[in-house]
Amino acid sequence: MAPTHEVAPREGGAIAARRAVVQRLQMILGRLREMLQRLWMTIRGRRRTIVVGGILLALVGAGAVVILRLPAPAPVVTQPTEAPPPEPPPPPPRPLQSEAEGYYEPSYKFTVADRRFTRLTLRPQPFVMFSRTGTRDEVGCADARISPAAVHLRCEFERVGIVVTIEGQFPARTVTSHLDAQVLNAWITITNTRSETLFRARESFYWHAPD
């Protein structure tokens, strides 16, 4: 009889436990039902917003797909910039007076041994010129040193027996077209065969283009 009294209380306790579990589950289901109802009401109230948002998302996705499928833009070809025009060459330097072809006339035409000193030439060949009635004598200068700044000439007139020495300087280095401009200042010394000085003076010369 002892087991009979022990089983009854156990069966009653199990039944009570199952009832408690069922009640708890029912409460949970009731709460879930309420939450689902609230969610459905929210969705129904905002259905238009959700639809518009879905459409916008679809449009954005479609635009992204189209953009990704577009071909890559062709590289921009920039034409090379044109180089600036070259600067014009500088003007050629003006010719030097010492290199100009032509002749030089003294400001004072003196006379030695019945011959008048009339002209001095440096280019193309250095020589001095004496004139007498009806004749002209050109005397070459064997010793000639001509630089852009100065000139040295020694010209021997053997037939007359005189030696002409000229030591001069160019006031201006470049050629001038002014016929009245003094372009050479020089000492002129004339000696005979015995080295006696027949004439010595400082002369200014004016340049003329070749005849």
Side-chain angles (χ1 to χ4, degrees), residues 24-40:
R24 186 175 294 275
L25 290 174
Q26 289 177 351
M27 292 177 60
I28 292 172
L29 290 174
R31 291 179 179 177
L32 287 175
R33 188 180 297 110
E34 292 178 357
M35 291 176 63
L36 291 174
Q37 290 177 354
R38 292 176 182 176
L39 180 60
W40 174 247

Side-chain angles (χ1 to χ4, degrees), residues 54-133:
I55 294 173
L56 291 177
L57 288 176
L59 292 176
V60 171
V65 171
V66 172
I67 291 173
L68 292 175
R69 290 187 177 182
L70 288 176
V76 179
V77 179
T78 57
Q79 296 182 354
T81 56
E82 296 182 358
E87 296 183 359
R94 296 180 58 185
L96 298 176
Q97 182 64 58
S98 60
E99 298 178 353
E101 294 187 5
Y103 61 93
Y104 300 81
E105 287 188 346
S107 57
Y108 171 66
K109 298 179 180 180
F110 58 90
T111 301
V112 176
D114 296 334
R115 285 172 172 80
R116 191 175 188 184
F117 181 85
T118 58
R119 184 177 297 186
L120 163 66
T121 302
L122 299 179
R123 305 290 182 184
Q125 297 295 333
F127 63 87
V128 294
M129 180 180 292
F130 290 88
S131 65
R132 194 169 58 171
T133 304

Side-chain angles (χ1 to χ4, degrees), residues 43-63:
I43 292 173
R44 289 187 62 185
R46 299 182 179 179
R47 181 172 54 188
R48 181 176 299 176
T49 303
I50 294 172
V51 171
V52 173
I55 294 173
L56 291 177
L57 288 176
L59 292 176
V60 171

Side-chain angles (χ1 to χ4, degrees), residues 10 40-41 43 69 91 122-123 145 151 165 172 186 204 210:
R10 291 181 180 176
W40 174 247
M41 295 300 294
I43 292 173
R69 290 187 177 182
L122 299 179
R123 305 290 182 184
R145 298 190 297 274
V151 58
T165 303
S204 297

